[in-house]
């Protein structure tokens, strides 16, 4: 960096080599102003640092893989989800951490993305962590292309949905349990809105009133009771 007479700093690229001139040893020095290039480099470094910080602090896992499915780039969150250290995760393939049937399904999904170029979103799949425990991840997959537009790999975002899926399963089982109770008891159970229209009921109520379910839904008490 050199300071001009005006006091401003400028970046130069300087090279030199020895030469002979009129029987004397001299040095040929060449310099080029590269201030605009250095500014671009600084901006690029700041941009890379910004997005690197985002990738490393977000909860979601980000990954990039080659066309064979080998991991080539990922953030720390993805390592935590899979339970592997960064050096172990590098170049690992989905076949190493998914059960056989899941691996076949994931292959079909990635192959479809490669063939059509259309991203796949909210794909659930089971992952075996390094410690042997199972987790459910939800991932997106899109195609990576080079400057010529040729496919070179895949990228996507993964989220750990293990606890959410467990809660959804527990809720579904609970709903099924109480639905069975309602449908097998002798008494009729019903719910109506403030206008008196049926919004929910069980099968015994249908039998009591003699209406099929589709007719009884939305029916008002005025339709089957005397004034």
């Amino acid at each position: 960096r050199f300071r001009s007479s005006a006091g401003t700093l400028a970046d130069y690229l300087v090279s030199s080599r020895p030469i002979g001139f009129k029987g004397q040893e001299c040095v040929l020095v060449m310099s080029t102003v590269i201030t605009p290039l250095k500014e671009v480099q600084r901006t690029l470094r700041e941009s890379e640092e910004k997005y690197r910080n985002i990738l490393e602090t977000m909860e979601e896992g980000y990954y990039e893989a080659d066309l064979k499915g080998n991991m080539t780039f990922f953030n720390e969150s993805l390592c935590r989800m899979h339970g592997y250290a960064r050096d172990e995760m590098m170049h690992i393939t989905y076949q190493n951490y998914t059960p056989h049937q899941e691996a076949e399904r994931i292959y079909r999904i990635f192959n479809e993305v490669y063939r059509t170029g259309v991203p796949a979103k909210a794909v659930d799949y089971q992952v075996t962590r390094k410690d042997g425990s199972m987790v459910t991840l939800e991932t997106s997959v899109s195609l990576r292309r080079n400057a010529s537009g040729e496919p070179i790999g895949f990228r996507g975002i993964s989220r750990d949905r293990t606890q959410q899926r467990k809660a959804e399963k527990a809720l579904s089982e609970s709903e099924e349990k109480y639905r069975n109770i309602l449908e097998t008891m002798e008494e009729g159970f019903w719910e109506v809105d403030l206008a008196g229209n049926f919004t929910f009921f069980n099968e015994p109520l249908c039998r009591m009133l003699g209406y099929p379910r589709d007719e009884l839904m939305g029916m008002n008490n005025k339709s089957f009771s005397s004034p």
Side-chain angles (χ1 to χ4, degrees):
R1 306 194 77 192
F2 293 97
R3 190 183 301 277
S4 70
S5 58
T8 59
L9 288 173
D11 294 285
Y12 284 80
L13 179 65
V14 180
S15 62
S16 62
R17 63 186 178 89
I19 62 170
F21 182 71
K22 295 184 178 181
Q24 307 233 355
E25 292 186 354
C26 301
V27 177
L28 175 65
V29 179
M30 292 169 286
S31 63
T32 305
V33 177
I34 58 169
T35 303
L37 174 61
K38 298 294 286 187
E39 287 297 328
V40 170
Q41 290 175 338
R42 278 193 283 270
T43 302
L44 179 60
R45 281 197 301 271
E46 291 171 358
S47 177
E48 288 178 342
E49 185 65 23
K50 172 185 175 181
Y51 289 106
R52 185 181 297 109
N53 287 336
I54 292 173
L55 283 175
E56 293 304 331
T57 56
M58 70 185 198
E59 292 295 320
E60 295 81 4
Y62 175 83
Y63 69 90
E64 293 180 2
D66 60 23
L67 292 176
K68 294 181 179 180
N70 301 306
M71 291 287 186
T72 57
F73 180 80
F74 45 84
N75 63 355
E76 196 61 35
S77 292
L78 195 77
C79 295
R80 291 194 295 270
M81 290 178 188
H82 288 78
Y84 287 92
R86 182 176 289 272
D87 57 342
E88 294 175 317
M89 198 75 185
M90 185 59 72
H91 300 302
I92 198 173
T93 179
Y94 66 94
Q95 295 172 330
N96 298 114
Y97 53 77
T98 53
H100 180 66
Q101 290 184 339
E102 283 285 78
E104 290 182 347
R105 186 171 67 89
I106 293 299
Y107 170 79
R108 290 194 297 270
I109 292 171
F110 274 63
N111 190 54
E112 182 72 9
V113 172
Y114 173 79
R115 188 178 61 83
T116 64
V118 178
K121 300 179 180 180
V123 177
D124 273 15
Y125 67 105
Q126 298 293 311
V127 167
T128 304
R129 288 166 51 87
K130 184 181 178 180
D131 61 8
S133 60
M134 297 289 293
V135 293
T136 301
L137 299 186
E138 177 189 271
T139 192
S140 62
V141 185
S142 60
L143 198 60
R144 293 173 55 229
R145 300 178 184 274
N146 60 18
S148 302
E150 299 170 341
I152 58 173
F154 304 93
R155 67 161 56 96
I157 299 290
S158 293
R159 300 173 180 86
D160 190 340
R161 297 300 195 197
T162 306
Q163 297 305 318
Q164 180 181 339
R165 296 298 181 254
K166 285 182 178 179
E168 290 171 351
K169 182 180 179 182
L171 177 61
S172 177
E173 290 173 349
S174 176
E175 289 178 343
E176 185 66 23
K177 172 184 175 181
Y178 290 105
R179 186 180 298 110
N180 289 336
I181 293 174
L182 284 174
E183 295 302 333
T184 55
M185 68 186 196
E186 293 297 322
E187 295 78 12
F189 177 86
W190 51 265
E191 294 177 4
V192 296
D193 60 21
L194 293 178
N197 303 310
F198 281 116
T199 58
F200 181 80
F201 45 83
N202 63 356
E203 198 60 35
L205 190 75
C206 295
R207 292 195 295 270
M208 290 178 185
L209 298 177
Y211 288 93
R213 183 176 291 272
D214 57 342
E215 288 186 34
L216 196 59
M217 183 60 70
M219 186 179 288
N220 191 276
N221 67 291
K222 295 176 184 179
S223 302
F224 55 80
S225 58
S226 65

